[in-house]
Amino acid sequence: MKARLTLKVRAGARKTGFAGAHGEAWKLHVAAPPVDGKANDAIIRYLAKLAGVPSASVRIVSGFKGSTKIIELAGIDPASLERAILESNGHPSDTGSAAPPKA
């Protein structure tokens, strides 16, 4: 099982995290500078942690030197990846329960 993700990256940000959607892509701010592959390494580590997969399961398919990147993650399905992104962006996951959330 694999998932692909299109990112619009802004390197050198204050902190690493998703900043919402950008058309068909996700905006990702990365704290690492865009020098010597540091931002790409930070993206791989961040997405691996977010998806709960090893860093070796995350690879940049295209956009190594550009701000628009296509990332492939092995070991996670697209729906689970999108849910993890939304949760990291502050949106609660839908548990499927009709009960109101506990305070």
Side-chain angles (χ1 to χ4, degrees):
M1 114 181 89
K2 290 183 181 179
R4 280 202 172 196
L5 178 65
T6 302
L7 298 176
K8 178 70 176 165
V9 177
R10 189 182 113 213
R14 288 177 115 170
K15 66 179 188 171
T16 299
F18 282 96
H22 181 74
E24 294 292 316
W26 286 97
K27 290 187 280 185
L28 178 64
H29 293 177
V30 180
V35 178
D36 298 328
K38 290 180 183 179
N40 287 341
D41 292 342
I43 291 166
I44 289 170
R45 285 192 312 274
Y46 178 77
L47 291 175
K49 183 176 179 182
L50 180 78
V53 299
S55 293
S57 295
V58 181
R59 69 183 186 101
I60 299 173
V61 176
S62 70
F64 294 97
K65 294 188 178 198
S67 61
T68 301
K69 301 180 185 299
I70 297 175
I71 312 292
E72 186 175 84
L73 295 93
I76 188 168
D77 62 277
S80 296
L81 178 59
E82 184 167 345
R83 188 170 37 254
I85 291 169
L86 289 171
E87 288 175 0
S88 77
N89 205 20
H91 297 282
S93 66
D94 180 11
T95 61
S97 171
K102 295 180 182 177

